[in-house]
Amino acid sequence: PNGRRVCVITACAGHEFSKWRHTIKEIEKYARAMGCAAVRLSGRKGWKILKSEGYREPWIMLEKGL
């Protein structure tokens, strides 16, 4: 509603992250080209590895199975 564009990564996973980590940079590059102000993802705690590259943790997401 405020006009801010955010690129949301909805599915990104795999083994040997070090071999495809560069893909995140490609997604960021694409998001910039599309006028996005941010890239957002949610997932397991292991994604905190990207905090060293400027990602922050503005909230947490919880889920309860029924």
Side-chain angles (χ1 to χ4, degrees):
N2 66 5
R4 182 173 182 249
R5 289 183 178 195
V6 176
C7 176
V8 179
I9 300 174
T10 57
C12 188
H15 297 284
E16 300 184 56
F17 180 61
S18 61
K19 291 184 177 179
W20 56 270
R21 183 180 186 146
H22 67 280
T23 305
I24 301 298
K25 293 291 183 196
E26 293 299 317
I27 293 170
E28 293 169 356
K29 185 176 166 182
Y30 171 79
R32 273 189 218 93
M34 294 292 107
C36 294
V39 175
R40 183 179 298 157
L41 61 87
S42 62
R44 63 180 182 77
K45 291 180 183 179
W47 280 109
K48 285 186 178 186
I49 194 170
L50 293 178
K51 288 178 105 175
S52 66
E53 295 184 28
Y55 282 80
R56 60 189 182 85
E57 190 178 359
W59 62 79
I60 62 167
M61 191 178 296
L62 299 173
E63 178 178 288
K64 179 181 179 181
L66 300 176

